[in-house]
Amino acid sequence: MKNRFLHAPVVLLTALALGGCGALPGVGGDSTTTVTVWLMKDSASDDFIKRFTDAYEKEHRSVRLDVRIQEWTGVGQKVGAALKAGAAPDVIEVGNTQVSQYAASGGLLDLTLESLRDWGSADWLPGLAEPGRVDGAQYGIPWYAANRVVIYNKDLFRAAGITKAPRTRAEWLSDTEKLNTGATQGIYLAGQDWYTLAGFVWDEGGELAQESAGEWTGTLATPAALRGMDFYRRLQALGDGPKNADEATPPQAGVFARGAVAQIIAVPGTANAIQKANPALAGKLGYFPVPGKTAAAPGAVFTGGSDLIVPKRSAHRTEAVEVVKALAGEKWQRDLAATMSYVPNKPALAAAVENQAGTAAMAQGAARGRATPNSPQWAAVEADNPIKPYMTAVLTGADPRTAARTASARISSLLFP
């Protein structure tokens, strides 16, 4: 998923001059191959890119890297055109949920063999690996992940007598009820935060949509999905979040910063915006994974982040695959995670962020991360987004099953190619 899922950039990235990314195309003699890499703005710091480039070129004397920073806005059309072009880039970073639409063009290199044989694909985070896999072929290689956690006000928890983070949904509801008193909101949860709803639906065994015999159908009206919506309703009632808006309207970081909200559900980087708005909250913020139905595991969460793809039309396939191997490998995964406060692509590498409280909580949740339905048409669903009015309808008293059937029918029509 492109970085819109974060609603708050983790680190601001300035475009890196080509001179810092390696030799310009054609420099270095006939024996030098220039590999062109497209990375997205805000995905990696200039220091990381320079470290990686310098080290890679030192280890691969015949390769020069030409790293070009791309804007998220309009990138879909740009990548689509590049996959059809005669001179495509060699490696492209894409949102994890975008892989299926690019694979549908037939322009991606199948990296299944390398993934199984050399890269330990069985250990990748499912929220990155699954959307990169289309019709059994692995086209997208997981690069980094991010997901929501619960950010809480330690002072308000202490005042309510809560001494440890809840580990189950039942404990979470109970604690939030204690917190929701007087002028304090137990939780600020906007009524249309559909990514958070998706996690509750998945926890119940439901889906937003399912595919059968090549046809996608919206499934919000199943008993499991309705149970997920019912939990959302109960939690949302323990605060004053708007029922007809999402978490960006108004920005929930600003609401939390006023000091009278005990919890929000957001990526850890949101803490930066909170503390900027209210410096008095510095050192008073805590984090825990979204609780699951039992204490055995955290709750399911939507995983956003990026995968790496190699166009079929790359003029340097072998070299491109080696660059992907390095970026997705243990050494540079640890470096990227520590530098950018991301979740690495394998749970076993989470130790790289264990000293960062917010990112460590995010890594725990990422192990149960999921992505949106892997349909090339899913972008159309998000653009129209019938899930949001469905949520508002339920929260304002409509019959859940009837509202879910209406939303599911709309999802089905949008997913029909």
Side-chain angles (χ1 to χ4, degrees):
M1 179 76 186
K2 70 177 186 177
N3 282 357
R4 66 175 181 275
F5 80 90
L6 297 175
H7 294 300
V10 180
V11 176
L12 183 64
L13 176 67
T14 56
L16 185 64
L18 285 174
C21 298
L24 293 172
V27 175
D30 294 338
S31 62
T32 300
T33 298
T34 297
V35 177
T36 301
V37 181
W38 285 7
L39 298 183
M40 300 307 302
K41 184 178 180 181
D42 299 333
S43 286
S45 68
D46 51 356
D47 287 342
F48 173 86
I49 296 174
K50 188 175 189 308
R51 275 199 308 278
F52 175 77
T53 299
D54 290 347
Y56 193 87
E57 291 180 351
K58 185 176 181 180
E59 294 174 4
H60 303 79
R61 296 290 186 178
S62 63
V63 173
R64 294 291 177 266
L65 299 183
D66 176 11
V67 180
R68 304 183 183 186
I69 305 303
Q70 308 298 315
E71 297 285 346
W72 282 108
T73 302
V75 74
Q77 290 183 337
K78 188 170 184 178
V79 172
L83 296 179
K84 299 176 182 178
D90 302 297
V91 178
I92 306 176
E93 175 198 349
V94 299
N96 61 322
T97 61
Q98 295 174 331
V99 176
S100 61
Q101 70 185 75
Y102 299 137
S105 73
L108 302 187
L109 189 64
D110 183 348
L111 299 171
T112 306
L113 178 60
E114 291 85 354
S115 300
L116 292 170
R117 183 188 63 198
D118 304 324
W119 299 346
S121 59
D123 300 324
W124 285 335
L125 290 173
L128 292 180
E130 290 174 2
R133 190 179 307 121
V134 180
D135 295 331
Q138 193 75 45
Y139 296 106
I141 306 305
W143 194 30
Y144 68 82
N147 50 266
R148 288 162 174 75
V149 300
V150 182
I151 302 177
Y152 70 96
N153 184 314
K154 293 180 180 179
D155 285 351
L156 295 180
F157 266 56
R158 190 178 301 111
I162 301 171
T163 59
K164 61 181 181 179
R167 296 183 61 196
T168 68
R169 280 191 185 179
E171 291 175 356
W172 194 18
L173 280 176
S174 177
D175 287 349
T176 304
E177 288 173 358
K178 294 177 184 176
L179 291 159
N180 192 46
T181 181
T184 299
Q185 295 185 54
I187 188 168
Y188 180 86
L189 180 58
Q192 295 183 347
D193 186 352
W194 72 278
Y195 284 124
T196 294
L197 170 65
F200 299 159
V201 169
W202 293 329
D203 256 355
E204 293 290 348
E207 300 289 347
L208 305 180
Q210 287 184 299
E211 183 267 339
S212 177
E215 184 173 332
W216 285 88
T217 304
T219 52
L220 292 175
T222 63
L226 289 169
R227 289 195 300 270
M229 182 64 223
D230 186 62
F231 179 79
Y232 190 101
R233 178 189 59 79
R234 295 168 64 193
L235 186 65
Q236 201 271 340
L238 299 175
D240 298 329
K243 293 178 170 54
N244 61 348
D246 63 21
E247 63 274 26
T249 313
Q252 61 178 348
V255 178
F256 187 95
R258 297 170 193 162
V261 171
Q263 309 169 85
I264 57 172
I265 302 171
V267 293
T270 305
N272 297 328
I274 292 170
Q275 292 169 155
K276 182 177 180 180
N278 185 357
L281 288 177
K284 297 182 179 181
L285 303 181
Y287 312 84
F288 57 86
V290 172
K293 295 186 71 174
T294 73
V301 288
F302 168 76
T303 299
S306 286
D307 283 8
L308 300 170
I309 60 173
V310 176
K312 273 186 179 179
R313 291 179 178 270
S314 164
H316 314 293
R317 288 188 184 182
T318 300
E319 292 83 358
V321 170
E322 287 300 308
V323 171
V324 170
K325 177 182 179 181
L327 285 169
E330 179 175 341
K331 175 183 177 179
W332 293 104
Q333 279 292 294
R334 291 182 183 277
D335 191 316
L336 183 67
T339 299
M340 303 298 295
S341 298
Y342 289 151
V343 178
N345 61 13
K346 294 180 180 179
L349 304 179
V353 295
E354 63 185 2
N355 294 324
Q356 302 175 23
T359 312
M362 187 165 63
Q364 292 179 54
R368 298 218 46 231
R370 295 277 304 276
T372 48
N374 203 14
S375 164
Q377 309 301 320
W378 185 255
V381 175
E382 292 198 21
D384 184 89
N385 213 328
I387 303 174
K388 287 186 172 184
Y390 155 64
M391 297 172 71
T392 295
V394 174
L395 295 176
T396 54
D399 176 66
R401 186 176 299 276
T402 300
R405 285 173 175 165
T406 299
S408 294
R410 179 61 180 160
I411 291 172
S412 299
S413 68
L414 291 166
L415 291 176
F416 188 77

Coordinates of all heavy atoms in Angstrom, one line a residue, residues 341-405:
S341 N 12.6 3.3 11.5 CA 11.5 2.9 12.4 C 10.5 2.1 11.7 O 9.3 2.3 11.9 CB 10.9 4.0 13.2 OG 11.9 4.7 14.0
Y342 N 10.9 1.2 10.8 CA 10.0 0.3 10.1 C 10.1 -1.1 10.7 O 11.0 -1.4 11.5 CB 10.4 0.1 8.6 CG 10.2 1.3 7.7 CD1 11.1 1.6 6.7 CD2 9.2 2.3 8.0 CE1 10.9 2.7 5.8 CE2 9.0 3.3 7.1 CZ 9.9 3.5 6.1 OH 9.7 4.6 5.2
V343 N 9.1 -1.9 10.3 CA 9.2 -3.4 10.6 C 9.9 -4.1 9.5 O 9.5 -3.9 8.3 CB 7.7 -3.9 10.8 CG1 7.8 -5.4 11.1 CG2 7.0 -3.2 11.9
P344 N 11.0 -4.9 9.8 CA 11.6 -5.6 8.8 C 10.7 -6.7 8.2 O 9.7 -7.0 8.7 CB 12.9 -6.2 9.5 CG 12.6 -6.0 10.9 CD 11.5 -5.0 11.1
N345 N 11.2 -7.3 7.0 CA 10.3 -8.2 6.3 C 10.1 -9.6 6.9 O 9.3 -10.3 6.4 CB 10.7 -8.3 4.8 CG 12.1 -8.8 4.6 OD1 12.7 -9.4 5.6 ND2 12.6 -8.7 3.4
K346 N 10.9 -9.9 8.0 CA 10.8 -11.1 8.6 C 10.7 -10.9 10.2 O 11.5 -10.1 10.7 CB 12.0 -12.0 8.4 CG 12.1 -12.5 6.9 CD 13.3 -13.4 6.7 CE 13.4 -13.8 5.3 NZ 14.6 -14.7 5.0
P347 N 9.8 -11.6 10.8 CA 9.6 -11.4 12.3 C 10.9 -11.7 13.0 O 11.2 -11.1 14.1 CB 8.5 -12.4 12.7 CG 7.7 -12.5 11.4 CD 8.7 -12.4 10.3
A348 N 11.8 -12.6 12.5 CA 13.0 -12.9 13.2 C 14.0 -11.8 13.2 O 14.9 -11.8 14.0 CB 13.7 -14.1 12.5
L349 N 13.8 -10.7 12.4 CA 14.7 -9.6 12.4 C 14.2 -8.4 13.3 O 14.8 -7.4 13.3 CB 14.8 -9.1 11.0 CG 15.3 -10.1 10.0 CD1 15.4 -9.5 8.6 CD2 16.7 -10.7 10.4
A350 N 13.1 -8.7 14.0 CA 12.5 -7.6 14.8 C 13.4 -7.1 15.9 O 13.1 -5.9 16.4 CB 11.1 -8.1 15.4
A351 N 14.4 -7.8 16.3 CA 15.3 -7.3 17.3 C 16.0 -6.0 16.9 O 16.5 -5.3 17.7 CB 16.4 -8.4 17.6
A352 N 16.0 -5.7 15.6 CA 16.6 -4.5 15.1 C 15.9 -3.3 15.6 O 16.5 -2.2 15.7 CB 16.6 -4.5 13.6
V353 N 14.7 -3.4 16.1 CA 13.9 -2.3 16.6 C 13.4 -2.4 18.0 O 12.6 -1.7 18.5 CB 12.7 -2.0 15.6 CG1 13.1 -1.6 14.3 CG2 11.8 -3.2 15.5
E354 N 14.0 -3.4 18.7 CA 13.5 -3.7 20.1 C 13.7 -2.5 21.0 O 13.0 -2.4 22.1 CB 14.1 -5.0 20.6 CG 15.6 -4.9 20.8 CD 16.2 -6.2 21.2 OE1 15.5 -7.2 21.3 OE2 17.5 -6.3 21.5
N355 N 14.6 -1.6 20.7 CA 14.9 -0.5 21.6 C 14.0 0.7 21.3 O 14.1 1.8 21.9 CB 16.4 -0.1 21.6 CG 17.3 -1.2 22.2 OD1 16.9 -1.8 23.1 ND2 18.4 -1.3 21.6
Q356 N 13.2 0.6 20.3 CA 12.2 1.6 19.9 C 10.8 1.2 20.3 O 10.3 0.3 19.6 CB 12.3 1.9 18.4 CG 13.7 2.3 17.9 CD 13.8 2.5 16.4 OE1 12.7 2.7 15.7 NE2 14.9 2.3 15.8
A357 N 10.3 1.7 21.4 CA 9.1 1.2 22.0 C 7.9 1.1 21.0 O 7.2 0.1 20.9 CB 8.7 2.0 23.2
G358 N 7.7 2.2 20.2 CA 6.6 2.2 19.3 C 6.8 1.2 18.2 O 5.9 0.4 17.8
T359 N 8.0 1.1 17.6 CA 8.3 0.2 16.5 C 8.2 -1.2 17.0 O 7.8 -2.1 16.2 CB 9.6 0.5 15.8 OG1 9.7 1.9 15.6 CG2 9.8 -0.2 14.5
A360 N 8.7 -1.5 18.2 CA 8.7 -2.8 18.7 C 7.2 -3.3 18.9 O 6.9 -4.5 18.6 CB 9.4 -2.9 20.1
A361 N 6.3 -2.4 19.3 CA 4.9 -2.8 19.4 C 4.4 -3.1 18.0 O 3.6 -4.0 17.8 CB 4.1 -1.7 20.1
M362 N 4.8 -2.3 17.1 CA 4.3 -2.4 15.7 C 4.8 -3.8 15.1 O 4.0 -4.5 14.5 CB 4.9 -1.3 14.9 CG 4.3 -1.2 13.5 SD 4.6 0.4 12.7 CE 6.4 0.5 12.6
A363 N 6.0 -4.2 15.5 CA 6.6 -5.4 15.0 C 5.8 -6.6 15.5 O 5.6 -7.6 14.8 CB 8.0 -5.5 15.3
Q364 N 5.4 -6.5 16.8 CA 4.6 -7.6 17.4 C 3.3 -7.8 16.6 O 2.9 -8.9 16.3 CB 4.3 -7.3 18.8 CG 5.5 -7.3 19.8 CD 5.1 -7.0 21.2 OE1 4.2 -7.6 21.8 NE2 5.7 -6.0 21.8
G365 N 2.6 -6.6 16.3 CA 1.4 -6.7 15.6 C 1.6 -7.2 14.1 O 0.7 -7.8 13.6
A366 N 2.7 -6.8 13.5 CA 2.9 -7.1 12.1 C 3.0 -8.6 11.9 O 2.7 -9.1 10.8 CB 4.2 -6.5 11.7
A367 N 3.3 -9.4 12.9 CA 3.3 -10.8 12.7 C 1.9 -11.4 12.4 O 1.8 -12.5 11.8 CB 3.9 -11.5 14.0
R368 N 0.9 -10.6 12.7 CA -0.5 -11.0 12.4 C -1.1 -10.0 11.4 O -2.3 -9.8 11.3 CB -1.3 -11.1 13.6 CG -0.8 -12.1 14.6 CD -2.0 -12.8 15.3 NE -3.0 -13.3 14.4 CZ -4.3 -13.1 14.6 NH1 -4.7 -12.4 15.7 NH2 -5.2 -13.5 13.8
G369 N -0.2 -9.4 10.6 CA -0.7 -8.4 9.6 C -1.3 -9.1 8.4 O -1.0 -10.2 8.0
R370 N -2.2 -8.3 7.8 CA -2.9 -8.7 6.6 C -2.9 -7.6 5.6 O -2.6 -6.4 6.0 CB -4.3 -9.1 6.9 CG -4.5 -10.4 7.8 CD -4.4 -11.7 7.0 NE -5.4 -11.7 5.9 CZ -6.6 -12.1 5.9 NH1 -7.1 -12.4 7.1 NH2 -7.4 -12.1 4.9
A371 N -3.2 -7.8 4.4 CA -3.4 -6.8 3.4 C -4.8 -6.9 2.8 O -5.6 -7.8 3.1 CB -2.4 -7.0 2.2
T372 N -5.2 -5.8 2.1 CA -6.5 -5.8 1.5 C -6.7 -6.9 0.4 O -5.7 -7.5 0.0 CB -6.7 -4.4 0.9 OG1 -5.6 -4.1 0.0 CG2 -6.9 -3.4 1.9
P373 N -7.9 -7.2 0.0 CA -8.1 -8.3 -1.0 C -7.2 -8.1 -2.2 O -7.1 -7.0 -2.7 CB -9.6 -8.1 -1.3 CG -10.2 -7.6 -0.1 CD -9.2 -6.7 0.5
N374 N -6.6 -9.2 -2.6 CA -5.6 -9.1 -3.7 C -6.2 -9.1 -5.1 O -5.8 -10.0 -5.9 CB -4.6 -10.3 -3.5 CG -3.2 -10.0 -4.1 OD1 -2.9 -8.9 -4.5 ND2 -2.4 -11.1 -4.3
S375 N -7.0 -8.2 -5.3 CA -7.7 -8.0 -6.6 C -7.0 -6.8 -7.3 O -6.8 -5.8 -6.7 CB -9.2 -7.8 -6.5 OG -9.7 -7.3 -7.7
P376 N -6.8 -6.9 -8.7 CA -6.3 -5.7 -9.4 C -7.3 -4.6 -9.4 O -6.9 -3.4 -9.6 CB -6.1 -6.3 -10.8 CG -6.0 -7.8 -10.7 CD -6.9 -8.1 -9.5
Q377 N -8.5 -4.8 -9.0 CA -9.5 -3.8 -9.0 C -9.7 -3.2 -7.6 O -10.6 -2.3 -7.5 CB -10.9 -4.4 -9.5 CG -10.8 -5.1 -10.8 CD -10.3 -4.3 -11.9 OE1 -10.7 -3.1 -12.1 NE2 -9.5 -4.8 -12.8
W378 N -9.0 -3.6 -6.6 CA -9.2 -3.1 -5.3 C -9.1 -1.6 -5.2 O -9.7 -0.9 -4.4 CB -8.3 -3.8 -4.3 CG -8.7 -3.4 -2.9 CD1 -8.0 -2.5 -2.0 CD2 -9.9 -3.8 -2.2 NE1 -8.7 -2.4 -0.9 CE2 -9.9 -3.1 -0.9 CE3 -11.0 -4.6 -2.5 CZ2 -10.9 -3.3 0.1 CZ3 -12.0 -4.7 -1.5 CH2 -11.9 -4.1 -0.3
A379 N -8.2 -1.0 -6.0 CA -8.0 0.5 -5.9 C -9.3 1.2 -6.2 O -9.6 2.2 -5.7 CB -7.0 0.9 -6.9
A380 N -10.2 0.6 -7.1 CA -11.5 1.2 -7.4 C -12.4 1.1 -6.1 O -13.2 2.1 -5.9 CB -12.1 0.4 -8.5
V381 N -12.3 0.1 -5.3 CA -13.0 0.0 -4.1 C -12.6 1.1 -3.1 O -13.5 1.8 -2.5 CB -12.9 -1.4 -3.4 CG1 -13.6 -1.4 -2.1 CG2 -13.4 -2.5 -4.3
E382 N -11.3 1.3 -3.0 CA -10.8 2.3 -2.1 C -11.2 3.7 -2.6 O -11.5 4.6 -1.7 CB -9.3 2.2 -1.9 CG -8.9 1.0 -1.1 CD -7.5 1.0 -0.6 OE1 -7.0 2.2 -0.4 OE2 -6.9 0.0 -0.3
A383 N -11.2 3.9 -3.9 CA -11.6 5.2 -4.4 C -13.1 5.6 -4.1 O -13.4 6.7 -3.7 CB -11.3 5.3 -5.9
D384 N -13.9 4.6 -4.2 CA -15.4 4.8 -4.0 C -15.7 4.6 -2.5 O -16.5 5.3 -1.9 CB -16.2 3.8 -4.8 CG -17.6 4.0 -4.7 OD1 -18.2 4.8 -5.5 OD2 -18.3 3.3 -3.8
N385 N -15.1 3.6 -1.9 CA -15.1 3.2 -0.5 C -16.5 3.1 0.1 O -16.9 3.9 1.0 CB -14.2 4.1 0.4 CG -13.6 3.2 1.5 OD1 -14.2 2.3 2.0 ND2 -12.4 3.6 1.9
P386 N -17.3 2.1 -0.3 CA -18.6 1.9 0.4 C -18.5 1.4 1.8 O -19.5 1.3 2.5 CB -19.2 0.8 -0.5 CG -18.0 0.1 -1.1 CD -17.0 1.1 -1.3
I387 N -17.3 1.0 2.3 CA -17.1 0.6 3.6 C -17.4 1.7 4.6 O -18.0 1.5 5.7 CB -15.7 0.0 3.9 CG1 -15.5 -1.2 2.9 CG2 -15.6 -0.6 5.3 CD1 -14.1 -1.7 2.9
K388 N -16.9 2.9 4.3 CA -17.1 4.1 5.2 C -18.5 4.4 5.5 O -18.9 4.5 6.7 CB -16.4 5.3 4.6 CG -14.8 5.2 4.7 CD -14.2 6.5 4.2 CE -12.7 6.4 4.5 NZ -12.1 7.7 4.1
P389 N -19.4 4.6 4.5 CA -20.8 4.9 4.8 C -21.5 3.7 5.5 O -22.4 3.9 6.3 CB -21.4 5.2 3.4 CG -20.5 4.6 2.4 CD -19.1 4.7 3.0
Y390 N -21.0 2.5 5.2 CA -21.6 1.3 5.9 C -21.3 1.4 7.4 O -22.2 1.2 8.3 CB -21.0 0.0 5.4 CG -20.9 -1.1 6.3 CD1 -22.1 -1.7 6.8 CD2 -19.7 -1.7 6.8 CE1 -22.1 -2.8 7.7 CE2 -19.7 -2.7 7.7 CZ -20.8 -3.3 8.1 OH -20.8 -4.3 9.0
M391 N -20.1 1.8 7.8 CA -19.7 1.9 9.2 C -20.5 3.0 9.9 O -21.1 2.9 11.0 CB -18.2 2.3 9.3 CG -17.3 1.1 8.8 SD -15.6 1.6 8.7 CE -15.2 1.6 10.5
T392 N -20.7 4.2 9.2 CA -21.5 5.3 9.7 C -22.9 4.8 10.0 O -23.5 5.2 11.0 CB -21.4 6.5 8.8 OG1 -20.1 7.0 8.8 CG2 -22.3 7.6 9.3
A393 N -23.5 4.1 9.0 CA -24.8 3.7 9.1 C -25.0 2.8 10.4 O -26.0 3.0 11.1 CB -25.2 2.9 7.9
V394 N -24.1 1.9 10.6 CA -24.2 1.0 11.7 C -24.1 1.8 13.0 O -24.8 1.6 14.0 CB -23.2 -0.1 11.7 CG1 -23.2 -1.0 13.0 CG2 -23.5 -1.1 10.5
L395 N -23.1 2.7 13.1 CA -22.9 3.5 14.3 C -24.0 4.4 14.6 O -24.1 4.9 15.8 CB -21.5 4.2 14.1 CG -20.3 3.4 14.0 CD1 -19.0 4.2 13.8 CD2 -20.1 2.5 15.3
T396 N -24.8 4.8 13.6 CA -25.9 5.7 13.9 C -27.2 5.0 14.0 O -28.3 5.6 13.9 CB -26.0 6.8 12.8 OG1 -26.0 6.2 11.5 CG2 -24.7 7.7 12.9
G397 N -27.2 3.6 14.1 CA -28.4 2.9 14.4 C -29.1 2.1 13.3 O -30.1 1.4 13.5
A398 N -28.5 2.0 12.1 CA -29.0 1.2 11.0 C -28.9 -0.3 11.3 O -28.0 -0.7 12.1 CB -28.4 1.6 9.7
D399 N -29.7 -1.1 10.7 CA -29.6 -2.5 10.9 C -28.3 -3.0 10.3 O -28.0 -2.8 9.1 CB -30.7 -3.2 10.2 CG -30.6 -4.7 10.2 OD1 -30.7 -5.3 11.3 OD2 -30.4 -5.3 9.2
P400 N -27.4 -3.6 11.0 CA -26.0 -3.9 10.5 C -26.1 -4.9 9.3 O -25.3 -4.6 8.3 CB -25.4 -4.6 11.7 CG -26.1 -4.1 12.9 CD -27.5 -3.9 12.5
R401 N -26.9 -5.9 9.3 CA -26.9 -6.8 8.2 C -27.4 -6.2 6.9 O -26.8 -6.4 5.9 CB -27.8 -8.0 8.6 CG -27.8 -9.1 7.5 CD -28.6 -10.3 8.0 NE -28.1 -10.9 9.2 CZ -27.1 -11.7 9.3 NH1 -26.5 -12.2 8.2 NH2 -26.7 -12.2 10.5
T402 N -28.4 -5.3 7.0 CA -29.0 -4.7 5.8 C -27.9 -3.7 5.3 O -27.7 -3.7 4.0 CB -30.2 -3.9 6.2 OG1 -31.2 -4.8 6.7 CG2 -30.8 -3.2 4.9
A403 N -27.3 -2.9 6.1 CA -26.2 -2.0 5.7 C -25.0 -2.8 5.1 O -24.4 -2.3 4.1 CB -25.8 -1.1 6.9
A404 N -24.7 -3.9 5.7 CA -23.6 -4.7 5.2 C -23.9 -5.3 3.8 O -23.0 -5.3 3.0 CB -23.2 -5.8 6.2
R405 N -25.1 -5.7 3.6 CA -25.5 -6.2 2.3 C -25.4 -5.2 1.2 O -24.9 -5.4 0.1 CB -26.9 -6.8 2.4 CG -27.0 -8.1 3.1 CD -28.4 -8.6 3.3 NE -28.5 -9.9 3.9 CZ -29.6 -10.4 4.4 NH1 -30.8 -9.7 4.4 NH2 -29.7 -11.6 4.9

